[in-house]
DNA sequence: CTCACTGCAAAGGTTTTGCAGTGGG
DNA sequence: CCCACTGCAAAACCTTTGCAGTGAG
């Protein structure tokens, strides 16, 4: 609880950003709302605790966080932005036509990929990060 | 030239869709505009040849094509839809902050992935398709 | 002929922007 | 104190929708 809060404030301050209650709330929302929240979900969650925080501020804050690599925008084919607070290498499971996106962690796969691309050169391109978008069906 | 046109008409007819000049133009645009065009680029290109084709129709047509798996929506963090006319398994190279998306074909990689996931089970998920989103920098 | 498809224009929803006011460092 | 940040509301943008008219099969 407290440790999380410390992490959040540190995360913001480390980037040289001003620490405001709005920013803490927004970042907390992304960590609390685990499954890659949309802007709408973040706004709703933040305003439940603090209705005074305006939508415009939340949009600006999210953009600031993305620029400072505190969070990342999730690629989506749904036409709405979604955000990901996880910086550790991971992959995404998606079902077509469903907004659900699950994280998939697989160290063995990561090692396989890192190993493969350390040997294989992509002409004209320098690889920084690899993410698998795995499409399929969630089984009940 | 002619062979392409035949492919285009076949592609539409094979799905039981009505063959209209609007649909031919839209599909041709996606094939001609190679680098994963946005809706805006498609509209511009189509209307250069045929200004009578309306925006609404193009949007509806694109959705129809996606539903019928003639093309696919490219996941994007740019907030705009982009489309991909290629059905063959391939991956995407992207530079952060740049709209450029290059295709990356790698049979060896595909085999590695197919092999890996034929052995590895993801609990609660049935894999249909895998696409790598490789982020990095285009070298000059 | 008929029903799927088109054109038009308006509506809908999300994101961005400008500017005056506020507060963190 | 100062400048980065916020709140508010309007604007900008992209996409969807409704409906009357059209044309492919």
């Amino acid at each position: 609880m407290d440790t999380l809060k410390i992490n959040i404030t540190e995360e913001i301050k480390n980037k040289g950003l001003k620490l405001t209650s709005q920013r803490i709330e927004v970042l907390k929302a992304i960590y609390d709302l685990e499954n890659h929240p949309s802007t709408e979900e973040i706004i709703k969650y933040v305003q439940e605790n603090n209705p005074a925080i305006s939508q415009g501020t939340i949009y600006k804050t999210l953009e600031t966080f993305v620029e400072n690599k505190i969070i990342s925008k999730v690629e989506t084919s749904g036409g709405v932005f979604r955000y990901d607070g996880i910086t550790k290498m991971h992959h995404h499971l998606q079902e077509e036509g469903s907004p659900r996106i699950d994280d998939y962690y697989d160290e063995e796969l990561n090692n396989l990929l890192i190993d493969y691309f350390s040997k294989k050169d992509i002409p004209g391109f320098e690889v920084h990060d690899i993410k698998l978008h795995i499409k399929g069906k969630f089984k009940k």
Side-chain angles (χ1 to χ4, degrees), chain A residues 15-127:
Chain A
K15 305 287 180 169
L17 300 173
K18 286 198 175 175
L19 187 67
T20 66
S21 63
Q22 291 86 343
R23 287 181 172 175
I24 293 169
E25 288 301 320
V26 171
L27 192 48
K28 190 169 173 311
I30 295 165
Y31 290 150
D32 287 354
L33 296 166
E34 289 179 343
N35 203 39
H36 313 92
S38 62
T39 317
E40 190 189 352
E41 290 167 324
I42 295 167
I43 290 170
K44 193 177 160 203
Y45 189 88
V46 166
Q47 293 188 339
E48 262 166 30
N49 299 325
N50 196 333
I53 298 179
S54 80
Q55 197 197 55
T57 298
I58 295 174
Y59 273 101
K60 284 172 193 163
T61 302
L62 289 170
E63 203 191 308
T64 304
F65 286 166
V66 171
E67 280 167 7
N68 286 278
K69 299 192 194 297
I70 293 171
I71 61 174
S72 64
K73 269 190 189 169
V74 175
E75 328 238 304
T76 165
S77 51
V80 165
F81 289 138
R82 297 181 63 181
Y83 295 90
D84 193 338
I86 296 156
T87 47
K88 204 175 138 195
M89 184 169 176
H90 66 286
H91 308 285
H92 285 162
L93 305 177
Q94 275 187 274
E95 180 169 329
E96 227 155 317
S98 155
R100 181 171 170 191
I101 301 173
D102 280 19
D103 285 324
Y104 174 60
Y105 296 92
D106 185 337
E107 273 306 315
E108 192 186 345
L109 175 63
N110 292 347
N111 292 333
L112 192 75
L113 291 169
I114 291 164
D115 183 56
Y116 183 79
F117 282 104
S118 69
K119 289 171 191 155
K120 184 98 176 190
D121 183 56
I122 302 178
F125 196 79
E126 189 188 307
V127 177

